[in-house]
């Protein structure tokens, strides 16, 4: 009887510790998406630091840019195609783990230029990956197969 009780206690302790470790790991790695609309009509005055991606022919359906000077996004909707220009982005740490990610939409129609100011970590090994996409602001979705290739830059 004593042996069974001891084994039960050991099993309970091990089970509790396993659950606590799993909960801690899950909470530490949980990252939620940031989905927002770019509404600013003016951005930074310097254009020297922009890195851009685009999709579509001429004119482009969407052009999106990132500036590490102040962490700005630039979004241009170049076609009357019923879609919004979207910048799909993610921030990665020095171990290449995604620590933040999201999608920013320019839902103001063809010809509209919009900006969004972010605040990303300025760690020595942090980077941003971004790409241009087409999307729908209402349901906040990106059109499958519409995105450019990823671009990676330091934050």
């Amino acid at each position: 009887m004593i042996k069974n009780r001891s084994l039960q206690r050991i099993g309970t302790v091990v089970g509790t510790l396993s659950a606590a470790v799993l909960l801690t790991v899950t909470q530490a790695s949980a990252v939620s998406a940031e989905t927002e609309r770019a509404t600013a009509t003016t951005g930074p005055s310097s254009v020297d630091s922009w890195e851009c991606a685009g999709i579509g022919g001429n004119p482009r359906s969407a052009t999106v840019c990132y500036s590490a000077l102040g962490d700005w996004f630039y979004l241009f909707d170049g076609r009357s195609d019923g879609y919004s220009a979207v910048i799909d982005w993610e921030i990665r740490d020095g171990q290449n783990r995604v620590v933040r990610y999201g999608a920013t939409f320019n839902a103001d129609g063809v010809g509209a230029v919009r900006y969004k100011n972010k605040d990303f970590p300025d760690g020595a090994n942090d980077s941003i990956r971004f790409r241009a996409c087409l999307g729908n602001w209402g349901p906040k979705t990106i059109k499958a197969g519409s995105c450019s290739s990823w671009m990676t830059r330091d934050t």
Side-chain angles (χ1 to χ4, degrees), residues 45-73:
S45 57
S46 172
V47 295
D48 296 335
S49 63
W50 292 106
E51 298 285 343
C52 300
I55 52 174
N58 189 11
R60 291 209 181 267
S61 297
T63 301
V64 300
C65 304
Y66 167 73
S67 173
L69 297 176
D71 296 324
W72 281 91
F73 289 148

Side-chain angles (χ1 to χ4, degrees), residues 100-123:
R100 282 176 72 181
Y101 71 99
T104 303
F105 290 73
N106 172 356
D108 292 329
V110 66
V113 172
R114 295 294 177 262
Y115 298 88
K116 183 69 180 179
N117 189 222
K118 302 295 287 179
D119 186 17
F120 296 135
D122 291 324

Side-chain angles (χ1 to χ4, degrees), residues 14-138:
V14 168
T16 302
L17 287 174
S18 297
V21 167
L22 182 61
L23 181 61
T24 301
V25 168
T26 303
Q27 287 177 342
S29 63
V31 179
S32 56
E34 299 174 29
T35 304
E36 55 201 350
R37 184 173 180 170
T39 57
T41 56
T42 59
S45 57
S46 172
V47 295
D48 296 335
S49 63
W50 292 106
E51 298 285 343
C52 300
I55 52 174
N58 189 11
R60 291 209 181 267
S61 297
T63 301
V64 300
C65 304
Y66 167 73
S67 173
L69 297 176
D71 296 324
W72 281 91
F73 289 148
Y74 162 98
L75 298 93
F76 174 70
D77 186 338
R79 280 198 190 153
S80 181
D81 54 13
Y83 293 103
S84 298
V86 182
I87 186 166
D88 185 24
W89 59 270
E90 58 187 31
I91 302 298
R92 292 178 174 260
D93 67 10
Q95 285 75 48
N96 204 32
R97 295 176 299 207
V98 175
V99 294
R100 282 176 72 181
Y101 71 99
T104 303
F105 290 73
N106 172 356
D108 292 329
V110 66
V113 172
R114 295 294 177 262
Y115 298 88
K116 183 69 180 179
N117 189 222
K118 302 295 287 179
D119 186 17
F120 296 135
D122 291 324
N125 297 313
D126 292 332
S127 63
I128 182 171
R129 282 183 7 132
F130 68 95
R131 61 186 180 170
C133 301
L134 299 177
N136 291 300
W137 172 244

